Amino acid sequence: MQKVSLVTKSKRAAFTKVEFLVVISIITFLILLLHPAIQDRDAEGRPLGKMIPETAPNEENRIKHPSGFSIIAPPNWLKRDMGPDQFWITIYPRPRGASRKLSALTISREGPLNPNRVPKGYKKVTFQGFPAYERIVVTRKYLFDDPPISDYDLYIDRDGEGWHVNFSLLTSMTELPEIMREYINTIRFPPKAAEEAERSGESEQQ
C-alpha cells in the first residue's frame, strides 16, 4: 500500500508540473497576442516621434530644465528630468506604448574637463565658441534580436564648467545626422541662457 501511495503522489506531482507549464504557456501566448493591441491603444491619437527628426528646429518647441538650460525638442519628442537639483534632461521620441526608446538625447552637467588632454577616441572641436571634444562609436553590434546601439558624445568646457551631450540611437551610426547637429546647436546653458537667446534672436533678424 505504501508503494502505491508513493507512486500516486509522484504522478500527482508530475501532473501538477505539467499543469503549471500549460498555464505559463497560455499566459505567455496571451501577452504576445495582446501586447501589440495595448501599444496601439496607448499610441492612439498621439503621433509617434521620429527616431531621427525630419524637420528643422522650431523655437516654439523649446523645452527648459528648471535650472535654466534648454533645447529645442524635435516634434513629438518627450522629456524627462529629476528637477532643478539634478542637472540633466533627456528627450526622446514618443514610443508606441511601452516599446523601447529608438533614440534619446541627454544633456548633463559634468565635472571640469582637462584642457590639456584630449580624451581617448575624441577629436577636439568648438561648440558655441567653447572648446569641446566629440566622438561617435557603435557601443553594441547587432546581437540576436537586439539592434545595434550607437552613441554620439560631446563634452563641452564652458569656462571650467563641463557639460556632456549624448545622442544614443538604435542603429549603426558612423556620422552624426546633420539634422541632429542642428538640434544640439540650439542648446542654451545657464547662466548665459538669456544672453544667448538675445544673440540668437538678433542673428535671425539679420
Side-chain angles (χ1 to χ4, degrees):
M1 294 293 294
Q2 187 175 2
K3 290 183 178 179
V4 173
S5 177
L6 289 174
V7 170
T8 303
K9 288 182 179 179
S10 177
K11 287 183 177 179
R12 187 177 303 156
F15 185 69
T16 301
K17 290 179 181 178
V18 171
E19 286 180 325
F20 176 76
L21 291 175
V22 170
V23 171
I24 292 298
S25 299
I26 292 173
I27 292 175
T28 302
F29 174 76
L30 290 175
I31 291 174
L32 293 175
L33 181 66
L34 297 177
H35 186 59
I38 294 172
Q39 289 182 327
D40 290 341
R41 183 197 65 192
D42 291 339
E44 185 177 357
R46 300 180 180 181
L48 305 180
K50 298 289 185 180
M51 181 169 64
I52 299 175
E54 299 175 348
T55 56
N58 185 341
E59 188 62 35
E60 293 181 357
N61 295 330
R62 180 171 294 278
I63 59 174
K64 298 180 180 179
H65 186 269
S67 67
F69 67 90
S70 66
I71 183 174
I72 294 178
N76 303 311
W77 279 41
L78 309 177
K79 76 165 184 173
R80 184 167 64 93
D81 68 68
M82 296 294 288
D85 296 329
Q86 301 293 327
F87 289 84
W88 68 267
I89 190 173
T90 295
I91 60 174
Y92 55 93
R94 178 181 288 115
R96 182 181 296 280
S99 60
R100 71 177 80 185
K101 297 182 181 67
L102 299 177
S103 59
L105 192 148
T106 300
I107 308 166
S108 59
R109 193 173 72 181
E110 307 285 342
L113 304 180
N114 186 342
N116 299 319
R117 190 173 71 178
V118 176
K120 186 177 180 180
Y122 289 77
K123 66 177 181 179
K124 192 170 184 179
V125 295
T126 58
F127 183 78
Q128 298 179 355
F130 292 92
Y133 308 93
E134 69 175 0
R135 74 165 185 178
I136 298 177
V137 63
V138 177
T139 54
R140 185 185 74 187
K141 296 184 178 180
Y142 184 84
L143 180 65
F144 300 108
D145 292 333
D146 292 324
I149 298 177
S150 300
D151 281 286
Y152 167 79
D153 292 288
L154 175 70
Y155 286 93
I156 308 152
D157 183 359
R158 291 176 59 87
D159 295 329
E161 183 178 76
W163 288 85
H164 178 206
V165 179
N166 169 265
F167 175 59
S168 184
L169 188 69
L170 286 185
T171 189
S172 293
M173 176 176 63
T174 57
E175 292 184 6
L176 179 69
E178 189 58 34
I179 190 69
M180 284 310 306
R181 192 175 296 279
E182 290 183 27
Y183 278 93
I184 291 173
N185 286 340
T186 69
I187 297 174
R188 293 176 185 158
F189 298 95
K192 298 184 178 182
E195 177 184 332
E196 291 173 3
E198 183 179 349
R199 187 186 310 151
S200 175
E202 290 176 353
S203 67
E204 289 178 1
Q205 291 176 2
Q206 293 175 357

Coordinates of all heavy atoms in Angstrom, one line a residue, residues 13-62:
A13 N 2.4 14.9 -8.6 CA 3.4 16.0 -8.7 C 3.8 16.3 -10.1 O 3.9 17.4 -10.5 CB 4.6 15.6 -7.8
A14 N 3.9 15.2 -10.9 CA 4.3 15.4 -12.3 C 3.2 16.0 -13.0 O 3.4 16.9 -13.9 CB 4.6 14.0 -12.9
F15 N 1.9 15.6 -12.7 CA 0.8 16.2 -13.4 C 0.7 17.7 -13.0 O 0.4 18.6 -13.9 CB -0.5 15.5 -13.0 CG -1.7 16.0 -13.7 CD1 -1.9 15.7 -15.1 CD2 -2.7 16.7 -13.0 CE1 -3.0 16.2 -15.7 CE2 -3.8 17.2 -13.7 CZ -4.0 16.9 -15.0
T16 N 1.0 18.0 -11.8 CA 1.0 19.4 -11.3 C 2.0 20.3 -12.1 O 1.7 21.4 -12.5 CB 1.2 19.5 -9.8 OG1 0.3 18.7 -9.1 CG2 1.2 21.0 -9.4
K17 N 3.2 19.7 -12.3 CA 4.2 20.4 -13.1 C 3.7 20.7 -14.5 O 3.9 21.7 -15.1 CB 5.5 19.7 -13.1 CG 6.2 19.6 -11.7 CD 7.5 18.8 -11.8 CE 8.1 18.8 -10.4 NZ 9.4 17.9 -10.4
V18 N 3.1 19.7 -15.1 CA 2.6 19.8 -16.5 C 1.5 20.9 -16.5 O 1.5 21.8 -17.4 CB 2.0 18.5 -17.0 CG1 1.2 18.7 -18.3 CG2 3.1 17.5 -17.1
E19 N 0.6 20.9 -15.5 CA -0.4 22.0 -15.4 C 0.2 23.3 -15.3 O -0.2 24.3 -16.0 CB -1.3 21.7 -14.2 CG -2.3 20.6 -14.4 CD -3.2 20.4 -13.2 OE1 -2.6 20.6 -12.1 OE2 -4.3 20.1 -13.3
F20 N 1.3 23.4 -14.5 CA 1.9 24.7 -14.3 C 2.5 25.2 -15.7 O 2.4 26.4 -16.0 CB 3.0 24.6 -13.3 CG 3.9 25.8 -13.1 CD1 3.4 26.9 -12.4 CD2 5.1 25.9 -13.6 CE1 4.1 28.0 -12.2 CE2 5.9 27.0 -13.4 CZ 5.4 28.1 -12.7
L21 N 3.2 24.3 -16.4 CA 3.8 24.7 -17.7 C 2.7 25.1 -18.7 O 2.9 26.0 -19.5 CB 4.6 23.5 -18.2 CG 5.9 23.2 -17.5 CD1 6.5 21.9 -18.0 CD2 6.9 24.3 -17.5
V22 N 1.6 24.4 -18.6 CA 0.5 24.8 -19.6 C 0.0 26.2 -19.2 O -0.2 27.0 -20.1 CB -0.7 23.8 -19.5 CG1 -1.9 24.3 -20.2 CG2 -0.2 22.4 -20.0
V23 N -0.2 26.5 -18.0 CA -0.7 27.8 -17.5 C 0.3 28.9 -18.0 O -0.1 29.9 -18.5 CB -0.9 27.9 -16.0 CG1 -1.2 29.3 -15.6 CG2 -2.0 27.0 -15.6
I24 N 1.6 28.6 -17.8 CA 2.6 29.6 -18.2 C 2.6 29.8 -19.7 O 2.7 31.0 -20.2 CB 4.0 29.1 -17.7 CG1 4.1 29.2 -16.2 CG2 5.1 30.0 -18.3 CD1 4.0 30.5 -15.6
S25 N 2.4 28.7 -20.4 CA 2.4 28.9 -21.9 C 1.2 29.7 -22.3 O 1.3 30.5 -23.2 CB 2.3 27.5 -22.5 OG 3.5 26.7 -22.2
I26 N 0.1 29.5 -21.7 CA -1.1 30.2 -22.0 C -0.9 31.7 -21.7 O -1.3 32.6 -22.6 CB -2.4 29.7 -21.3 CG1 -2.7 28.3 -21.8 CG2 -3.6 30.6 -21.5 CD1 -3.8 27.6 -21.0
I27 N -0.4 32.0 -20.6 CA -0.1 33.4 -20.2 C 0.8 34.1 -21.2 O 0.6 35.2 -21.6 CB 0.4 33.5 -18.7 CG1 -0.7 33.1 -17.7 CG2 0.9 34.9 -18.4 CD1 -0.2 33.0 -16.3
T28 N 1.9 33.4 -21.5 CA 2.9 33.9 -22.5 C 2.2 34.2 -23.8 O 2.4 35.3 -24.4 CB 4.0 32.9 -22.7 OG1 4.7 32.7 -21.4 CG2 5.1 33.5 -23.6
F29 N 1.4 33.3 -24.3 CA 0.7 33.4 -25.6 C -0.2 34.7 -25.5 O -0.3 35.5 -26.5 CB -0.1 32.2 -25.9 CG -1.0 32.3 -27.1 CD1 -0.4 32.3 -28.4 CD2 -2.3 32.5 -27.0 CE1 -1.2 32.4 -29.5 CE2 -3.1 32.7 -28.1 CZ -2.6 32.6 -29.4
L30 N -1.0 34.8 -24.4 CA -1.9 36.0 -24.3 C -1.1 37.3 -24.3 O -1.5 38.3 -24.9 CB -2.7 35.8 -23.0 CG -3.8 34.7 -23.1 CD1 -4.5 34.6 -21.7 CD2 -4.8 35.0 -24.2
I31 N 0.0 37.3 -23.6 CA 0.9 38.5 -23.6 C 1.3 38.9 -25.0 O 1.2 40.0 -25.4 CB 2.1 38.4 -22.6 CG1 1.6 38.3 -21.1 CG2 3.0 39.5 -22.8 CD1 2.7 38.0 -20.2
L32 N 1.8 37.9 -25.7 CA 2.3 38.1 -27.1 C 1.2 38.6 -28.0 O 1.4 39.4 -28.9 CB 3.0 36.9 -27.6 CG 4.3 36.5 -26.9 CD1 4.8 35.1 -27.5 CD2 5.4 37.5 -27.1
L33 N 0.0 38.0 -27.7 CA -1.2 38.4 -28.5 C -1.7 39.7 -28.3 O -2.1 40.5 -29.2 CB -2.3 37.3 -28.3 CG -3.6 37.5 -29.2 CD1 -3.2 37.3 -30.6 CD2 -4.6 36.5 -28.7
L34 N -1.8 40.1 -27.0 CA -2.5 41.3 -26.6 C -1.5 42.5 -26.5 O -2.0 43.7 -26.6 CB -3.1 41.2 -25.2 CG -4.2 40.1 -25.1 CD1 -4.8 40.0 -23.7 CD2 -5.4 40.5 -26.1
H35 N -0.2 42.3 -26.4 CA 0.7 43.4 -26.2 C 0.7 44.4 -27.4 O 0.6 45.6 -27.1 CB 2.1 42.9 -26.0 CG 3.1 44.0 -25.7 ND1 3.0 44.8 -24.6 CD2 4.3 44.4 -26.4 CE1 4.0 45.6 -24.6 NE2 4.8 45.4 -25.6
P36 N 0.7 44.0 -28.6 CA 0.6 44.9 -29.7 C -0.7 45.8 -29.7 O -0.7 47.0 -30.0 CB 0.6 44.1 -31.0 CG 1.3 42.8 -30.5 CD 0.9 42.6 -29.1
A37 N -1.8 45.1 -29.2 CA -3.1 45.9 -29.1 C -3.0 46.9 -28.1 O -3.5 48.1 -28.2 CB -4.2 44.9 -28.8
I38 N -2.4 46.6 -26.9 CA -2.2 47.6 -25.9 C -1.3 48.7 -26.3 O -1.6 49.9 -26.0 CB -1.6 46.9 -24.6 CG1 -2.5 45.9 -24.0 CG2 -1.2 47.9 -23.5 CD1 -1.9 45.0 -22.9
Q39 N -0.3 48.4 -27.1 CA 0.6 49.5 -27.6 C -0.2 50.4 -28.5 O -0.1 51.6 -28.4 CB 1.8 48.9 -28.3 CG 2.8 48.2 -27.4 CD 3.9 47.7 -28.2 OE1 3.8 47.2 -29.3 NE2 5.1 47.7 -27.6
D40 N -1.0 49.8 -29.4 CA -1.8 50.7 -30.3 C -2.8 51.5 -29.6 O -3.0 52.7 -30.0 CB -2.5 49.7 -31.3 CG -1.5 49.1 -32.3 OD1 -0.4 49.6 -32.4 OD2 -1.9 48.0 -32.9
R41 N -3.4 51.0 -28.5 CA -4.3 51.8 -27.7 C -3.6 53.0 -27.1 O -4.1 54.1 -27.1 CB -5.0 50.9 -26.7 CG -6.0 51.7 -25.8 CD -6.3 50.9 -24.6 NE -5.1 50.9 -23.7 CZ -5.0 50.2 -22.6 NH1 -6.0 49.3 -22.3 NH2 -3.9 50.2 -21.9
D42 N -2.4 52.8 -26.5 CA -1.7 53.9 -25.9 C -1.2 54.9 -26.9 O -1.1 56.1 -26.5 CB -0.4 53.3 -25.1 CG -0.8 52.4 -23.9 OD1 -1.9 52.6 -23.5 OD2 0.0 51.6 -23.5
A43 N -1.0 54.5 -28.1 CA -0.5 55.5 -29.1 C -1.6 56.1 -29.9 O -1.4 57.0 -30.6 CB 0.4 54.7 -30.1
E44 N -2.9 55.7 -29.6 CA -4.0 56.2 -30.4 C -4.2 57.7 -30.2 O -4.2 58.2 -29.1 CB -5.3 55.4 -30.0 CG -6.5 55.8 -30.8 CD -7.7 55.0 -30.4 OE1 -7.6 54.2 -29.5 OE2 -8.8 55.3 -31.0
G45 N -4.2 58.4 -31.3 CA -4.4 59.8 -31.2 C -3.2 60.6 -30.9 O -3.2 61.8 -30.8
R46 N -2.1 59.9 -30.7 CA -0.8 60.6 -30.3 C 0.2 60.3 -31.4 O 0.6 59.1 -31.5 CB -0.3 60.2 -29.0 CG -1.2 60.4 -27.8 CD -0.6 59.9 -26.5 NE -1.5 60.2 -25.4 CZ -1.2 59.9 -24.2 NH1 0.0 59.3 -23.9 NH2 -2.0 60.2 -23.2
P47 N 0.7 61.2 -32.2 CA 1.7 61.0 -33.2 C 3.0 60.5 -32.6 O 3.4 61.0 -31.5 CB 1.8 62.3 -33.9 CG 1.3 63.3 -33.0 CD 0.3 62.6 -32.2
L48 N 3.6 59.5 -33.2 CA 4.9 59.0 -32.7 C 6.0 59.9 -33.1 O 5.9 60.5 -34.2 CB 5.1 57.6 -33.2 CG 4.0 56.5 -32.9 CD1 4.3 55.2 -33.5 CD2 3.7 56.4 -31.5
G49 N 7.0 59.9 -32.3 CA 8.2 60.7 -32.7 C 9.1 59.9 -33.6 O 9.2 58.7 -33.6
K50 N 9.8 60.7 -34.5 CA 10.8 60.0 -35.4 C 12.1 59.7 -34.7 O 12.5 60.5 -33.9 CB 11.0 61.0 -36.6 CG 9.8 61.3 -37.4 CD 9.3 60.1 -38.2 CE 8.2 60.4 -39.2 NZ 7.7 59.3 -40.0
M51 N 12.7 58.6 -35.0 CA 13.9 58.3 -34.4 C 15.0 59.3 -34.7 O 15.8 59.7 -33.8 CB 14.4 56.9 -34.9 CG 15.7 56.4 -34.3 SD 16.1 54.7 -34.7 CE 16.3 54.7 -36.5
I52 N 15.0 59.8 -35.9 CA 15.8 61.0 -36.3 C 14.8 62.0 -36.9 O 14.1 61.7 -37.8 CB 16.8 60.6 -37.4 CG1 17.8 59.5 -36.8 CG2 17.6 61.8 -37.8 CD1 18.8 59.0 -37.8
P53 N 14.7 63.2 -36.3 CA 13.7 64.2 -36.8 C 14.0 64.5 -38.3 O 15.1 64.4 -38.8 CB 14.0 65.4 -35.9 CG 15.4 65.2 -35.3 CD 15.6 63.7 -35.2
E54 N 12.9 64.9 -38.9 CA 12.9 65.2 -40.3 C 12.7 66.7 -40.6 O 12.8 67.1 -41.8 CB 11.8 64.4 -41.1 CG 12.0 62.9 -40.9 CD 10.9 62.1 -41.6 OE1 9.9 62.7 -41.9 OE2 11.0 60.9 -41.7
T55 N 12.4 67.5 -39.6 CA 12.1 68.9 -39.8 C 13.1 69.7 -38.9 O 13.6 69.3 -37.9 CB 10.7 69.3 -39.4 OG1 10.5 68.9 -38.0 CG2 9.7 68.6 -40.3
A56 N 13.4 70.9 -39.4 CA 14.3 71.8 -38.7 C 13.8 72.3 -37.4 O 12.6 72.2 -37.1 CB 14.6 73.0 -39.6
P57 N 14.7 72.6 -36.4 CA 14.2 73.1 -35.1 C 13.3 74.3 -35.2 O 13.5 75.2 -36.0 CB 15.5 73.5 -34.4 CG 16.6 72.7 -35.1 CD 16.1 72.6 -36.6
N58 N 12.3 74.2 -34.3 CA 11.3 75.3 -34.2 C 11.3 75.9 -32.8 O 11.1 75.1 -31.9 CB 9.9 74.8 -34.6 CG 8.8 75.8 -34.6 OD1 9.0 76.9 -34.0 ND2 7.7 75.6 -35.2
E59 N 11.6 77.2 -32.7 CA 11.7 77.8 -31.4 C 10.5 77.5 -30.5 O 10.6 77.5 -29.2 CB 12.0 79.3 -31.5 CG 12.3 80.0 -30.3 CD 13.6 79.5 -29.6 OE1 14.6 79.1 -30.4 OE2 13.7 79.5 -28.4
E60 N 9.3 77.3 -31.1 CA 8.1 77.1 -30.3 C 8.2 75.8 -29.5 O 7.5 75.6 -28.5 CB 6.9 77.1 -31.2 CG 6.6 78.4 -31.8 CD 5.3 78.4 -32.7 OE1 4.8 77.2 -32.8 OE2 4.9 79.4 -33.2
N61 N 9.1 74.9 -29.9 CA 9.2 73.6 -29.3 C 10.4 73.6 -28.2 O 10.8 72.5 -27.8 CB 9.5 72.5 -30.3 CG 8.3 72.3 -31.2 OD1 7.1 72.6 -30.8 ND2 8.5 71.9 -32.5
R62 N 10.9 74.7 -27.8 CA 11.9 74.8 -26.9 C 11.4 74.3 -25.5 O 10.4 74.7 -25.0 CB 12.5 76.2 -26.7 CG 13.7 76.2 -25.7 CD 14.4 77.6 -25.8 NE 15.1 77.8 -27.0 CZ 16.3 77.3 -27.3 NH1 17.0 76.6 -26.4 NH2 16.9 77.5 -28.5

